[in-house]
Amino acid sequence: MSFPFVPNPSPVSAQERAGRLVDPGFGRVFTDHMATLRWSEAAGWHDGRICARAPFQIDPASAVLHYAQEIFEGLKAYRLDDGALALFRPEQNARRFQRSARRLAMPELPEDLFLQSIEALVRADADWVPGQEGGSLYLRPFLIASEVFLGVKPASEYLYVVLASSAGSYWKGGARAISLWVSHDYTRAAPGGTGEAKCGGNYATSLVAQQEAIRRGCDQVVFLDAGERRWIEELGGMNIFFVFADGTIRTPPLAGTILPGITRDSILALARAEGLRVEEEPYAIADWRADAESGRLTESFACGTAAVVTPIGRVAGPDYGFTVGTGATGQVTQHFLDRLTAIQRGRAPDAHGWVQRIG
Ligand code: PLP
Ligand code: COI
């Protein structure tokens, strides 16, 4: 057993928990436990456990606090209609965690340890999965450089932690069509950089652009490529899809600067299996605007674990603004939202073997 269970001696009461689960939103309600595991050059991966979620001590000279050697993941546990709990393609998160680790010169957590940590934590905190439609337990594995040293080098010690957080909708006020601000000043990722890794630094550098989006009255920022500021890449924490009047769906290609989203990959697989024309091709911001205005493009949506499938209603830039389709949820967007969530919740056949029940 790599993650022995050391129960929280003072868990939240059932009554208090029920209150917190009424409208959990995203990222604020945490469970009673967490998973931890350490790595050192001498001992490798060791000292795993599921224990009480609590603040931990960290030396102020820990490398992560200075040079941001950190990676993370995001996945959800769902309650199926028959009461069992299940994960959606968790091995994909395990593999992306390994790729992120390689890019940040960190040790790769073996896939089975990643999966064991997640499953053991979900079992310990099963009561924290909200019962209402759309509820899930969001899991946040992360790895930090814990060596106490100010030299710039890959650390020789790391701490792996998994948090669990009861989640409803990512969006305040529930799901609705969102508006995007196109950042022509800030970029998220450059060729050769860390765009395809899930490291905290990518999100730190996205914040000023996200702040600008909010100031401009938009919900989220959409980033363009760093070289030409011409090609649409992705949002700060979601991939993007375009739907055309002729039935084609398109998403930007994975060329090193975009996070390879598991939701993105799943929608591509579903669309291909349905016989839709699918393109992983670059799409220029000027074309998005022209196609939305001409009616050639009918819908656009964002997707990711936290955001699931979210329609895009309006897009604005420094000297332009346009509405996508009707400005509300389009048919194709709704179709993929419904198909994906039906599979995730065990209400539709799982032809791809994506749903992993937790025994
Ligand atoms: N792009 C970014 C930058 C993200 O942070 C995320 C979220 O994880 C995604 C895309 C979507 O990835 P996934 O579908 O694996 O959650
Ligand atoms: C996710 O969807 O899991 C993300 O990581 C997006 C955001 C919350 C960072």
Side-chain angles (χ1 to χ4, degrees):
M1 182 67 169
S2 304
F3 294 89
F5 183 36
V6 186
N8 186 333
S10 43
V12 171
S13 72
Q15 191 187 3
E16 169 68 22
R17 186 176 61 233
R20 292 188 201 174
L21 294 187
V22 170
D23 182 18
F26 179 83
R28 292 194 191 278
V29 175
F30 294 95
T31 63
D32 291 315
H33 299 92
M34 62 183 181
T36 60
L37 180 68
R38 292 187 175 273
W39 186 91
S40 67
E41 266 169 15
W45 296 103
H46 64 281
D47 205 15
R49 70 191 59 178
I50 304 292
C51 57
R53 194 190 88 85
F56 47 73
Q57 284 211 324
I58 177 159
D59 191 289
S62 296
V64 64
L65 299 179
H66 302 271
Y67 309 124
Q69 203 188 3
E70 187 264 4
I71 56 170
F72 69 97
E73 266 304 325
L75 67 162
K76 283 175 173 173
Y78 305 91
R79 191 168 303 280
L80 307 180
D81 284 348
D82 65 8
L85 289 168
L87 299 164
F88 185 71
R89 308 185 72 185
E91 75 294 343
Q92 297 299 322
N93 296 91
R95 291 171 201 165
R96 190 169 64 190
F97 201 57
Q98 292 181 330
R99 295 197 300 274
S100 297
R102 281 204 288 280
R103 180 61 183 85
L104 274 283
M106 300 169 94
E108 288 177 44
L109 180 66
E111 191 173 317
D112 66 318
L113 283 181
F114 181 97
L115 296 174
Q116 277 180 45
S117 69
I118 302 285
E119 289 178 18
L121 181 59
V122 173
R123 270 190 221 107
D125 283 332
D127 290 342
W128 286 88
V129 183
Q132 64 268 40
E133 191 65 35
S136 63
L137 194 62
Y138 182 78
L139 298 150
R140 170 52 62 86
F142 62 101
L143 181 65
I144 59 175
S146 53
E147 184 184 355
V148 179
F149 181 54
L150 293 183
V152 180
K153 68 152 186 88
S156 61
E157 288 171 24
Y158 296 86
L159 174 63
Y160 169 73
V161 184
V162 189
L163 301 175
S165 177
S166 309
S169 175
Y170 185 70
W171 309 106
K172 237 191 228 143
R176 58 183 164 79
I178 57 166
S179 54
L180 300 186
W181 170 256
V182 185
S183 184
H184 288 258
D185 294 329
Y186 301 107
T187 58
R188 177 184 175 277
T194 56
E196 65 184 347
K198 206 160 165 61
C199 59
N202 287 345
Y203 299 79
T205 58
S206 78
L207 296 178
V208 66
Q210 174 64 20
Q211 216 170 27
E212 184 178 14
I214 301 291
R215 216 171 37 241
R216 302 283 189 160
C218 296
D219 297 299
Q220 289 283 311
V221 60
V222 58
F223 289 103
L224 304 177
D225 74 293
E228 297 181 69
R229 311 280 166 101
R230 179 176 174 206
W231 306 105
I232 301 156
E233 296 220 308
E234 64 174 327
L235 280 56
M238 292 150 229
N239 293 117
I240 190 164
F241 275 85
F242 307 97
V243 180
F244 296 91
D246 70 359
T248 304
I249 71 165
R250 177 184 289 206
T251 191
L254 301 178
T257 54
I258 291 174
L259 193 83
I262 295 157
T263 318
R264 173 190 180 279
D265 184 72
S266 306
I267 290 169
L268 287 173
L270 291 175
R272 288 190 172 114
E274 287 174 17
L276 293 182
R277 195 155 142 218
V278 175
E279 299 174 343
E280 292 181 74
E281 299 289 341
Y283 193 43
I285 180 65
D287 292 336
W288 193 14
R289 180 181 171 188
D291 292 343
E293 285 171 353
S294 74
R296 182 172 172 259
L297 172 124
T298 50
E299 300 177 35
S300 305
F301 60 87
C303 68
T305 298
V308 197
V309 171
T310 297
I312 296 165
R314 259 200 81 71
V315 183
D319 54 1
Y320 59 90
F322 58 93
T323 301
V324 177
T326 63
T329 310
Q331 264 181 20
V332 177
T333 304
Q334 187 69 48
H335 168 75
F336 284 114
L337 173 61
D338 292 345
R339 280 221 61 197
L340 195 64
T341 49
I343 295 170
Q344 286 169 338
R345 285 165 196 280
R347 294 175 188 154
D350 176 23
H352 301 270
W354 286 337
V355 176
Q356 305 292 319
R357 282 171 177 263
I358 296 176

